[in-house]
Amino acid sequence: MSTPAKEKKHEAPASFPKPEFTGAEAGMQTFPSSTSRSYNYFKPRKMRATVYEDVTTDVQPDPERHLSQGWIYGFAASDGGYPLDWTALRSGNWHAFLDPNEEWEQTIYRNNANVVRQIELNLQNAKEAGAYAHWSPTWTRFVAENVGAWMHAEQGLGMHVFVTAQRSAPTNMINNAIAVNSVHRLRFAQDLALYNLDLSQSIEAFDGAAHRATWKDNPSWQGVRENVELLTAVDDWAEAVFATNVVFEPLVGVLFRSDFLMQIAARNGDYITPTLIGAGENDYARDLRYTRALFSLLTNDPEHGEHNKAVMQGWLDKWVPVSTHAAHELQPIWSQPADRAVTFADSCSAATADFRTLITELGLVMSKEQ
Amino acid sequence: MSRQSLSKAHEKITELSWEPTFATPAKKFGTDYKFDKSPKKDPLKQILRSYFPMEEEKDNRVFGAMDGAIRGNMFRQVQERWMEWQKLFLSIIPFPEISAARAMPLAIDAVPNPQIHNGLAVQMIDEVRHSTIQMNLKRLYMNHYIDPAGFDITEKAFANSYCGTIGRQFGEGFITGDAITAANVYLTLVAETAFTNTLFVAMPSEAAANGDYLLPTVFHSVQSDESRHISNGYSILLMALADEDNRQLLERDLRYAWWNNHCVVDAAIGTFIEYGTKDRRKERDSYAEMWRRWIYDDYYRSYLIPLEKYGLVIPHDLVEKAWDRIYNQHYVHRVAQFFATGWPVNYWRIDAMTDTDFEWFEHKYPGWYDQFGKWWEAYNRLAYPGKNKPIAFEDVGYEYPHRCWTCMVPALVREDMVVEKVDGQWRTYCSEPCHWTDAVAFRPEYEGRDTPNMGRLTGKREWETLYHGQDLADIISDLGYVRDDGKTLIPQPHLDLSDPKKLWTLDDVRGIPFGSPNVTLNEMTDAEREAWAASYRANPNRTPSGV
């Protein structure tokens, strides 16, 4: 049949479907499986599956579980699906990982919507209260350059570490946790960018372009930029997540955000920046929970734990120097604010202590020179 | 946020990216497309500060509707015929959704445009939303619909059934092979821009007509994210068109993606709408009429044809061929008949068609009764166990079809069946475009040019091969499609749950051998195969009177 030449007009229907009582609700009859009202193809962690387990488990199929025909598309030179050799780590049961944050649709949007509302209210109140009026020129420049520069680190890691990595892990639970991590970073990057825009519009002397020059050319920031760019170049998804959340974040991210900015901002008359930075820290605390759960599971794997520890130890030895270098390159900015409430050594000591605790929990060790 | 503020905010976030100098992001996913000459095209603007509250509000509406449906006893008025097909549909769709999330790094790797990267990252989290909100809808159905069997095994059944595998292309195709073929042409330009219209708009409308207003609530909420995704895809397309070398690949990929989407999505959604509904008002649009509106007019004529101004050759022939299959060659009806033939290895129940249904089908698709009427009468007659085997194993003049190696829907338009030796194996295809997809398009060379990043068709593509020579009862046990008494089957060829004697059990299907058409085909001599092929194409597969 050739296609009709005349288009059909869509007018109001001449009639409507009629509701009909069918009695198709639960419990109206008893028959085999009439009470089988839970997903029965996986074993929940507790007696009853959580909503998170129900909506996440096995959505990404696995040839080692139920996928009987295997993956039906392949890459040109490798298997399709989610090849296990996309990381050097091994597991007797990748499906054992459950995100302690239990992220699914509702938690993602509730959590992030709450954060952006909180930030918007803070910024609105700050404007109305004239909160930026008392910033010294030194602090204004400090925020423009250094708080501004950090937005790029968040964007680079969000886009090219975490968005990339969520394609690659063997289970839906891992990939979803990484996907949520990625939007935390991207949202925080945008929070900082829009804060920068707000400041440009509120403070005459605020240089809204300084963050780009600082990130690209300021010697203090080149170690951080190098670290971030090297992280984006990692092919192994687990190494990328490990080197970012286990190494870079404690040694550089938390050092800069919690152990420095959060300590000095108020002393320099700025009570707004910590509210934004605090949101970023909250994101990281949330993301660290899944990271710790994932890598602990792998170091404690009955069959592959020792192999995994050796691999992670290798990653630690490779990435700690990079991040330590980045942190030390940042040292000059500790002396820029007028009120220097903490020294670089104090900040570094706090960050390193948290890092050592994390490493110890994972069953890894710091080499002496680290 | 005002429009001016939004514009300034968007401009600001374009400052976030930079040109790296120490190391560049890993290129894990390759493409044969080139973007060196491409001007950067921006997709729809979206800022996360406004995105999250907007989506939260959409979610609140969805969850409010869910609460209302439970309080209002929605399931007292849903049609079981409709809900049973949701066991199949909702087992499939969360995987394509999450695959779309996983596809975003492929496109990000391939396209050097930070603004598109931002759009794709937002799409990624949209897709996580869609996948989990759909799984949650299914959970609600399982908890409140009269027969939870089939919902309770959903993702396992998706992974081990022949139907799930057909649907899995609409997901695996997004995440594997050439990055642009997969994540842009197949996913966005065709699946999202064209076929989500029937998936997420036409089908929910039919759900509402069958007493289910939750499917429309959830899927319209999902669909409201799609315009941004379509914009992402269109921006990448415009960038690709800037390089003449990409044209040949785009034309190849549009042909593959269009035809595969047609084969898979029209088979599934067409069946759900035409055979899942109880709404037989004559003025109710048939799937063919919906397709004309949503796919032919809104996509082909308004989206694809205008691309000709860029010099792109549009697969007009395949669009017309798809329409011809749907309207004249009864593609959807043949698929529904095949699903119903295979009922013992399904995980849902399929209602018989009644005289009211027959009348409607004949009105909408003249000639329907001659081709299918007697078969559905036989289906109705053979619905209960005791005196007969399942219809597939009774002689009702229906020859079990061979499966298409590419789209995995069987070769149901029998005169179009292609049989060829490819990669040392005799394979059947439902049509010439599907043969071309396997033998020509998914290869490391295409029309004389190297295409080293193109994907491959892999896996155990004929489901029946897994169970060749086995007993039907053992197969169903292995699949797990058995109810909690350990013997009654989840699938049934009727909706009557009131009488245990009418429910098929493993004992009723024991002793029935199951065979693989492809294994048999590869055992034939050349002469046998030629005779078989001629007979296959000539067989109208029509149930005669008096059977």
Side-chain angles (χ1 to χ4, degrees):
Chain A
M1 178 182 159
S2 61
T3 53
K6 199 174 172 185
E7 280 191 55
K8 184 182 171 186
K9 280 188 180 174
H10 296 288
E11 295 167 345
S15 67
F16 298 94
K18 291 183 175 54
E20 185 185 345
F21 287 94
T22 59
E25 60 183 307
M28 293 294 279
Q29 290 185 54
T30 302
F31 50 86
S33 284
S34 58
T35 57
S36 178
R37 300 193 184 275
S38 58
Y39 292 148
N40 60 22
Y41 45 88
F42 66 92
K43 189 174 185 307
R45 176 163 288 175
K46 296 181 180 171
M47 287 286 285
R48 284 174 63 89
T50 61
V51 175
Y52 159 74
E53 285 173 292
D54 273 350
V55 302
T56 314
T57 308
D58 283 326
V59 174
Q60 175 181 311
D62 182 346
E64 292 185 4
R65 284 172 65 79
H66 314 301
L67 193 63
S68 58
Q69 289 178 261
W71 296 110
I72 50 179
Y73 285 99
F75 288 101
S78 65
D79 291 340
Y82 297 83
L84 297 178
D85 62 4
W86 282 2
T87 177
L89 300 180
R90 299 176 195 155
S91 172
N93 178 18
W94 284 104
H95 296 266
F97 170 78
L98 295 179
D99 180 359
N101 300 318
E102 303 204 330
E103 297 281 16
W104 70 292
E105 179 246 0
Q106 271 202 310
T107 64
I108 297 167
Y109 293 99
R110 278 183 183 166
N111 179 41
N112 283 285
N114 281 340
V115 171
V116 298
R117 269 194 292 270
Q118 177 189 323
I119 288 174
E120 281 197 297
L121 280 174
N122 287 346
L123 295 183
Q124 191 184 325
N125 288 338
K127 267 188 186 172
E128 285 168 9
Y132 310 126
H134 305 296
W135 284 16
S136 68
T138 307
W139 183 253
T140 302
R141 193 174 67 248
F142 178 87
V143 171
E145 292 177 355
N146 300 306
V147 176
W150 189 257
M151 71 173 82
H152 301 287
E154 295 291 340
Q155 174 76 10
L157 296 172
M159 188 65 72
H160 296 294
V161 170
F162 293 102
V163 173
T164 301
Q166 62 87 40
R167 164 65 185 86
S168 301
T171 75
N172 203 41
M173 288 78 82
I174 303 173
N175 284 327
N176 275 7
I178 299 173
V180 175
N181 193 157
S182 74
V183 289
H184 286 161
R185 311 301 296 241
L186 296 171
R187 196 217 69 238
F188 187 41
Q190 293 191 10
D191 290 341
L192 292 173
L194 298 181
Y195 178 44
N196 186 282
L197 179 64
D198 241 26
L199 293 173
S200 302
Q201 292 167 342
S202 304
I203 305 173
E204 200 172 332
F206 190 87
D207 180 357
H211 62 94
R212 301 192 77 177
T214 305
W215 179 248
K216 279 158 69 177
D217 300 317
N218 187 318
S220 299
W221 280 94
Q222 297 319 293
V224 179
R225 183 162 71 86
E226 180 180 18
N227 197 159
V228 168
E229 290 182 11
L230 289 172
L231 287 168
T232 68
V234 174
D235 194 53
D236 181 316
W237 66 266
E239 181 182 353
V241 173
F242 180 91
T244 305
N245 280 355
V246 176
V247 182
F248 174 83
E249 270 298 304
L251 292 180
V252 184
V254 174
L255 169 81
F256 176 69
R257 296 189 305 257
S258 273
D259 297 325
F260 179 43
L261 283 180
M262 300 284 277
Q263 310 304 321
I264 63 162
R267 298 281 289 269
N268 285 277
D270 174 5
Y271 62 87
I272 301 304
T273 301
T275 67
L276 265 89
I277 298 296
E281 286 300 84
N282 183 58
D283 290 340
Y284 173 60
R286 200 172 173 97
D287 294 327
L288 185 59
R289 280 201 288 274
Y290 91 79
T291 305
R292 189 186 278 121
L294 174 63
F295 290 111
S296 297
L297 192 74
L298 293 165
T299 53
N300 291 311
D301 186 283
E303 191 182 348
H304 302 289
E306 289 309 311
H307 164 85
N308 291 338
K309 275 186 194 169
V311 171
M312 285 186 227
Q313 193 64 51
W315 290 343
L316 208 56
D317 295 344
K318 173 181 168 186
W319 288 101
V320 167
V322 177
S323 293
T324 306
H325 170 74
H328 282 91
E329 291 275 298
L330 270 182
Q331 184 171 356
I333 68 171
W334 261 250
S335 55
Q336 286 179 13
D339 191 319
R340 298 162 203 166
V342 289
T343 65
F344 178 75
D346 293 338
S347 301
C348 220
S349 169
T352 308
D354 290 345
F355 172 63
R356 284 181 188 279
T357 305
L358 175 60
I359 293 304
T360 307
E361 281 172 10
L362 293 176
L364 305 175
V365 291
M366 295 281 287
S367 64
K368 279 181 184 167
E369 57 272 24
Q370 289 167 356
Chain B
M1 201 179 268
S2 70
R3 188 178 293 274
Q4 191 187 9
S5 313
L6 187 68
S7 185
K8 278 185 181 166
H10 194 265
E11 199 179 318
K12 186 68 190 178
I13 65 171
T14 63
E15 295 176 7
L16 284 165
S17 62
W18 74 97
E19 282 298 320
T21 57
F22 294 104
T24 51
K27 293 275 182 196
K28 200 180 184 91
F29 308 105
T31 181
D32 299 322
Y33 284 80
K34 295 173 190 160
F35 290 92
D36 311 332
K37 300 174 186 170
S38 303
K40 291 186 168 45
K41 298 287 180 186
D42 284 359
L44 273 179
K45 295 173 170 53
Q46 183 69 60
I47 294 164
L48 291 172
R49 184 177 285 183
S50 54
Y51 168 78
F52 284 116
M54 173 186 76
E55 297 292 327
E56 188 195 34
E57 171 63 23
K58 282 160 63 174
D59 281 355
N60 288 341
R61 294 177 190 190
V62 166
F63 285 93
M66 286 178 156
D67 286 348
I70 295 166
R71 291 197 196 104
N73 282 332
M74 183 189 86
F75 290 89
R76 200 168 285 179
Q77 64 189 51
V78 296
Q79 292 292 346
E80 287 188 57
R81 176 188 278 185
W82 175 262
M83 289 300 297
E84 288 297 320
W85 283 104
Q86 293 308 305
K87 292 176 181 175
L88 172 58
F89 173 61
L90 287 174
S91 74
I92 294 173
I93 195 69
F95 174 69
E97 295 284 10
I98 206 65
S99 298
R102 311 303 179 226
M104 295 302 103
L106 277 72
I108 288 170
D109 264 15
V111 183
N113 182 349
Q115 300 339 304
I116 287 182
H117 294 173
N118 280 328
L120 294 170
V122 179
Q123 179 172 351
M124 175 202 69
I125 205 67
D126 277 342
E127 308 288 10
V128 175
R129 169 178 190 258
H130 299 173
S131 175
T132 54
I133 203 172
Q134 290 162 5
M135 285 297 290
N136 193 48
L137 173 68
K138 181 166 51 181
R139 187 172 179 269
L140 185 147
Y141 286 167
M142 176 174 65
N143 280 321
H144 297 279
Y145 169 61
I146 188 166
D147 182 11
F151 284 130
D152 57 1
I153 195 177
T154 182
E155 293 305 298
K156 176 178 176 178
F158 167 63
N160 70 7
S161 93
Y162 72 94
C163 307
T165 313
I166 295 170
R168 196 142 47 80
Q169 296 165 89
F170 196 76
E172 277 195 54
F174 305 163
I175 57 171
T176 318
D178 186 298
I180 293 297
T181 307
N184 182 236
V185 184
Y186 188 86
L187 166 58
T188 314
L189 298 187
V190 180
E192 289 188 300
T193 309
F195 285 89
T196 55
N197 282 319
T198 54
L199 269 169
F200 298 162
V201 182
M203 202 175 73
S205 151
E206 207 52 45
N210 284 278
D212 172 12
Y213 54 79
L214 282 186
L215 194 90
T217 303
V218 171
F219 279 81
H220 286 171
S221 186
V222 166
Q223 183 71 3
S224 65
D225 293 327
E226 297 295 337
S227 56
R228 280 184 285 104
H229 306 176
I230 291 166
S231 167
N232 288 337
Y234 194 67
S235 303
I236 295 174
L237 172 66
L238 293 181
M239 286 181 65
L241 281 166
D243 193 322
E244 190 61 31
D245 275 358
N246 292 332
R247 204 163 300 257
Q248 185 185 26
L249 300 179
L250 273 172
E251 288 167 7
R252 176 198 66 184
D253 290 344
L254 275 176
R255 290 187 75 77
Y256 143 66
W258 166 265
W259 191 251
N260 189 269
N261 270 271
H262 152 64
C263 290
V264 174
V265 180
D266 287 331
I269 308 302
T271 299
F272 304 155
I273 288 178
E274 301 294 52
Y275 288 82
T277 191
K278 291 286 278 186
D279 181 13
R280 296 304 187 192
R281 290 170 301 125
K282 297 277 171 56
E283 57 271 25
R284 195 270 282 178
D285 277 353
S286 67
Y287 184 70
E289 287 166 315
M290 293 177 191
W291 198 93
R292 280 303 289 198
R293 177 182 174 188
W294 293 110
I295 308 280
Y296 197 93
D297 292 341
D298 281 10
Y299 176 70
Y300 171 56
R301 290 173 55 175
S302 306
Y303 179 90
L304 272 189
I305 288 179
L307 294 176
E308 286 185 321
K309 71 182 176 209
Y310 298 106
L312 197 62
V313 176
I314 301 303
H316 301 285
D317 57 327
L318 296 187
V319 175
E320 297 297 342
K321 187 174 173 63
W323 168 250
D324 192 47
R325 290 224 301 183
I326 288 169
Y327 191 74
N328 293 322
Q329 295 183 307
H330 295 313
Y331 180 64
V332 168
H333 306 297
R334 292 174 196 276
V335 172
Q337 184 184 24
F338 175 73
F339 280 142
T341 295
W343 74 257
V345 287
N346 294 343
Y347 44 98
W348 66 97
R349 297 175 292 139
I350 299 179
D351 192 14
M353 295 296 113
T354 65
D355 287 348
T356 308
D357 299 312
F358 289 0
E359 193 183 333
W360 186 89
F361 279 125
E362 191 61 31
H363 174 71
K364 292 292 184 179
Y365 299 94
W368 182 92
Y369 184 81
D370 277 353
Q371 181 64 40
F372 304 102
K374 294 290 178 200
W375 187 90
W376 279 104
E377 285 166 6
Y379 179 86
N380 206 3
R381 196 175 63 252
L382 301 170
Y384 304 122
K387 294 178 182 168
N388 51 268
K389 292 184 262 189
I391 190 169
F393 305 96
E394 292 285 352
D395 183 9
V396 293
Y398 183 82
E399 183 189 354
Y400 191 82
H402 280 241
R403 202 165 282 276
C404 177
W405 194 261
T406 299
C407 74
M408 294 186 279
V409 180
L412 297 167
V413 179
R414 298 175 74 92
E415 60 269 35
D416 286 352
M417 187 273 291
V418 174
V419 55
E420 285 289 345
K421 195 168 197 176
V422 178
D423 296 335
Q425 179 186 25
W426 287 100
R427 297 174 179 174
T428 47
Y429 301 90
C430 71
S431 56
E432 186 47 45
C434 269
H435 169 245
W436 169 86
T437 298
D438 183 16
V440 179
F442 273 71
R443 299 285 154 176
E445 187 186 305
Y446 178 70
E447 294 182 343
R449 74 185 282 177
D450 289 339
T451 50
N453 289 295
M454 193 60 179
R456 296 172 296 124
L457 304 188
T458 61
K460 296 163 187 162
R461 299 187 74 84
E462 198 220 27
W463 179 85
E464 289 84 350
T465 311
L466 302 179
Y467 294 109
H468 183 62
Q470 295 188 30
D471 189 286
L472 183 58
D474 295 337
I475 296 168
I476 297 170
S477 294
D478 180 66
L479 291 166
Y481 303 167
V482 181
R483 291 170 185 261
D484 60 9
D485 62 353
K487 61 178 184 178
T488 306
L489 308 188
I490 291 175
Q492 300 288 332
H494 60 81
L495 300 180
D496 188 352
L497 294 165
S498 64
D499 181 357
K501 291 195 185 77
K502 290 179 177 171
L503 297 176
W504 293 71
T505 67
L506 287 172
D507 290 341
D508 298 316
V509 295
R510 200 171 302 286
I512 300 174
F514 198 79
S516 150
N518 187 263
V519 170
T520 307
L521 177 71
N522 277 277
E523 289 169 353
M524 291 177 185
T525 64
D526 288 351
E528 286 170 340
R529 192 175 48 258
E530 282 172 27
W532 163 82
S535 158
Y536 188 98
R537 294 189 188 107
N539 182 1
N541 228 20
R542 192 178 296 139
T543 300
S545 297
V547 167

